[in-house]
Amino acid sequence: MSGCGNQGPTDPGGVDTGILESLLGYHARRASLAIVGRFMEHMAPHGLRPVDFSVLTLIAQNPGITSRQICAALAIQPPNLVGLVGGLQQRGLIERRPHPNDRRAVGLHLTPDGQRLHGAACATASAAEAQAATALTAREQATLVRLLRKLYSDV
Amino acid sequence: MSGCGNQGPTDPGGVDTGILESLLGYHARRASLAIVGRFMEHMAPHGLRPVDFSVLTLIAQNPGITSRQICAALAIQPPNLVGLVGGLQQRGLIERRPHPNDRRAVGLHLTPDGQRLHGAACATASAAEAQAATALTAREQATLVRLLRKLYSDV
DNA sequence: TATTGTTATACTCTATAACTATA
DNA sequence: TATAGTTATAGAGTATAACAATA
């Protein structure tokens, strides 16, 4: 029974998607792609990808944070963060300072330019969020965030 | 104000994630990665990636479906589907038959082996879904799917 | 011995241009 | 002229191994 007993709903193209419609991962991935795509369009004028904005935010909220801490918080492999941080530094948005306690590590800080750009990017992010969530009420948004957190918090 | 006025919650590592906590895309992406990751682990014994399972499901539910229809339903670029379909055919899971009305197109069908594997994979998918959603009640799951669909349906 | 940051590298995923045969 | 399928290819994104400096 390769159809799994389902005669499921159809997508806009009139194709029966069967069991896919019942899988949380299917919907989570499609929603993620749609939202992140819109976020990218809004953030493009700032020259920031979603991961760039995430890194800037972590540095803004945690001055002196190390690369390893960023990697742990965002699930990025250390080698893949090197170029990203290098790019932000080359644009003059962040700077590296010696870590006070550990001479192996480097503390990351926003420059004044970085603070200005991050402030503008935060406003853009809020605007994008408001637009992305027009289909949802405020209560639905809160519910959605709560349920999504449940899904990845206990892994 | 590069912190956007937020002094947000912290992630397990004790890092302040600031405005990220309020962004739907941030949570949708993390939830998607967590769920899809577990789905991949469950599906690995069948030798199927999520996209392979999706394609097999579409063919199972829509015998004779064309590559272009699959591309439209799953947002895959046609060139990227060629190798995928070729691999499934080489494994003897699907077969290509001439399209009844259009000599340019090819209708895709599951072989008996493909039907057996897809049936087993469906059972695995259901089991993975049940495990992924232990943190949620049945009502919460339904709510989550409904809200996620809203987010990407009106794009 | 373990950890930080780094280089080099490879593998996957995704996107575009261009071709062929049919419509 | 437009579409279905394909090839070749380029660009992201992501993964591991191994190294030097330091803990």
Side-chain angles (χ1 to χ4, degrees):
Chain A
M1 54 157 192
S2 64
C4 306
N6 298 8
Q7 205 68 18
T10 59
D11 84 349
V15 174
D16 186 340
T17 49
I19 193 182
L20 297 184
E21 285 295 320
S22 70
L23 297 180
L24 275 177
Y26 176 78
H27 297 285
R29 178 149 200 278
R30 290 196 61 165
S32 171
L33 289 176
I35 300 175
V36 171
R38 276 189 290 201
F39 185 88
M40 287 175 63
E41 293 174 12
H42 279 81
M43 209 54 85
H46 298 299
L48 297 177
R49 298 164 298 169
V51 67
D52 296 314
F53 177 72
S54 296
V55 169
L56 285 183
T57 298
L58 288 185
I59 298 174
Q61 298 290 118
N62 308 272
I65 192 174
T66 68
S67 290
R68 291 310 265 235
Q69 288 177 297
I70 293 177
C71 287
L74 298 180
I76 298 174
Q77 302 305 315
N80 300 329
L81 189 66
V82 175
L84 202 165
V85 166
L88 295 177
Q89 185 185 29
Q90 203 161 1
R91 290 172 62 186
L93 301 176
I94 66 174
E95 62 181 9
R96 307 176 201 235
R97 299 184 197 161
H99 193 281
N101 307 327
D102 189 337
R103 278 188 297 170
R104 295 171 303 179
V106 179
L108 300 176
H109 301 260
L110 291 191
T111 64
D113 275 358
Q115 289 178 24
R116 274 188 288 274
L117 181 63
H118 182 249
C122 276
T124 299
S126 296
E129 185 73 4
Q131 178 185 331
T134 46
L136 274 57
T137 67
R139 184 192 172 95
E140 285 177 329
Q141 289 180 46
T143 300
L144 182 55
V145 167
R146 181 174 61 82
L147 296 181
L148 288 174
R149 283 187 64 103
K150 273 193 181 182
L151 279 181
Y152 69 80
S153 295
D154 68 316
V155 177
Chain B
M1 56 159 190
S2 67
C4 307
N6 298 9
Q7 205 67 18
T10 59
D11 84 348
V15 174
D16 187 340
T17 49
I19 194 182
L20 298 184
E21 285 295 321
S22 69
L23 297 180
L24 275 177
Y26 176 78
H27 297 286
R29 179 151 199 277
R30 290 196 61 166
S32 171
L33 289 176
I35 300 175
V36 171
R38 274 190 291 202
F39 185 88
M40 286 174 64
E41 292 174 13
H42 279 80
M43 210 54 83
H46 298 300
L48 297 178
R49 297 164 300 168
V51 67
D52 296 315
F53 177 72
S54 296
V55 168
L56 284 182
T57 298
L58 288 185
I59 299 174
Q61 298 289 119
N62 307 273
I65 192 174
T66 67
S67 290
R68 290 311 265 235
Q69 289 177 296
I70 293 177
C71 286
L74 299 180
I76 298 174
Q77 302 306 313
N80 299 329
L81 188 66
V82 175
L84 202 165
V85 167
L88 295 176
Q89 185 185 29
Q90 202 160 1
R91 289 172 62 184
L93 301 176
I94 66 175
E95 63 182 8
R96 306 177 201 233
R97 299 185 197 160
H99 194 280
N101 308 327
D102 189 335
R103 279 189 296 170
R104 296 171 303 179
V106 179
L108 300 176
H109 301 260
L110 290 191
T111 64
D113 275 358
Q115 289 176 24
R116 274 189 290 274
L117 181 63
H118 183 249
C122 276
T124 299
S126 296
E129 185 73 4
Q131 179 185 329
T134 45
L136 273 57
T137 67
R139 185 192 174 94
E140 285 176 327
Q141 289 180 47
T143 299
L144 182 54
V145 167
R146 181 175 61 82
L147 297 181
L148 288 173
R149 283 186 65 103
K150 274 193 181 183
L151 278 181
Y152 68 79
S153 295
D154 68 316
V155 175

